Amino acid sequence: MKASLKWLNEWVDLSDYLERPTGAQEIADLLTARGLEAEGVYRQDQGLEKVISVQILEKKKHPEADRLSICTVNTGHKNAEGSSYLEIVCGAQNMKQGDIVCLAQIGANLPNGMKIEKGKIRGVVSNGMLCSETELGLKDESDGILILPEKTPVGWKVADVLGLDDVIIEIK
């Protein structure tokens, strides 16, 4: 059985534990000591720490590749240069201008094992990666970039947007 700490907290006040970095493991240890063997503790947002919601402001064809596009996105946060816009090279075709999508920022280590680095793709610098549900570890297969609801705030952590800001305890 898997139990969400958010759900458990609705039944029993766990706020003292949830405020501590080791709180989830302490709860698992308490459950085991009381006869409910906890087999594992894992964060649902593991690998999503540097994935945020962004809005596609412009999508144009890549000058050197028929199947690639260059998307200018609004991150909602100003960078060191004072801009909140980034260019991302993308191979998916299911998104359009105005869509809210998931951006794995440079330095992200995604659940599927990919490490995101700044790089050039056919001569154009890509400052991250727009992600599918597969790359985010949400599904085994997907048909393209995950499009978020149009009212999704820009610049939020995707784990918060998708309700994955929780810890799961697996009980034998």
Side-chain angles (χ1 to χ4, degrees):
M1 174 177 83
K2 295 180 181 179
S4 153
L5 286 189
K6 280 186 171 182
W7 176 79
L8 285 173
N9 194 45
E10 291 177 15
W11 294 94
V12 180
D13 182 11
L14 301 173
S15 55
D16 288 343
Y17 291 98
L18 298 178
E19 293 172 7
R20 297 193 295 261
T22 59
Q25 187 59 54
E26 290 176 47
I27 293 169
D29 294 343
L30 283 171
L31 289 170
T32 299
R34 305 243 178 342
L36 296 171
E37 185 179 343
E39 292 185 315
V41 177
Y42 64 93
R43 291 183 14 230
Q44 285 187 302
D45 64 352
Q46 186 73 40
L48 301 177
E49 298 88 347
K50 294 193 72 148
V51 181
I52 61 170
S53 58
V54 297
Q55 184 172 35
I56 298 174
L57 300 176
E58 179 183 28
K59 178 184 172 188
K60 61 186 177 187
K61 187 178 174 315
H62 192 294
E64 300 294 322
D66 291 337
R67 294 188 178 191
L68 295 177
S69 57
I70 303 169
C71 295
T72 303
V73 300
N74 176 10
T75 64
H77 304 285
K78 294 199 184 288
N79 59 23
E81 292 83 39
S83 175
S84 60
Y85 306 128
L86 293 175
E87 276 195 344
I88 310 294
V89 178
C90 186
Q93 299 300 317
N94 68 310
M95 72 286 191
K96 65 186 181 316
Q97 181 179 337
D99 282 344
I100 309 289
V101 296
C102 302
L103 169 69
Q105 302 175 87
I106 294 168
N109 292 303
L110 297 178
N112 71 351
M114 290 181 74
K115 180 174 170 71
I116 306 303
E117 298 175 356
K118 185 175 184 175
K120 275 190 179 181
I121 302 174
R122 298 267 181 118
V124 176
V125 174
S126 185
N127 295 288
M129 183 177 83
L130 302 183
C131 298
S132 70
E133 290 170 295
T134 303
E135 292 153 343
L136 297 175
L138 303 175
K139 287 188 175 179
D140 291 333
E141 293 183 29
S142 57
D143 295 326
I145 300 302
L146 173 60
I147 311 282
L148 298 169
E150 63 183 48
K151 301 271 187 213
T152 302
V154 171
W156 280 28
K157 288 184 176 183
V158 167
D160 294 341
V161 170
L162 298 176
L164 298 174
D165 54 336
D166 197 0
V167 176
I168 303 297
I169 297 178
E170 190 163 355
I171 301 169
K172 187 172 183 178

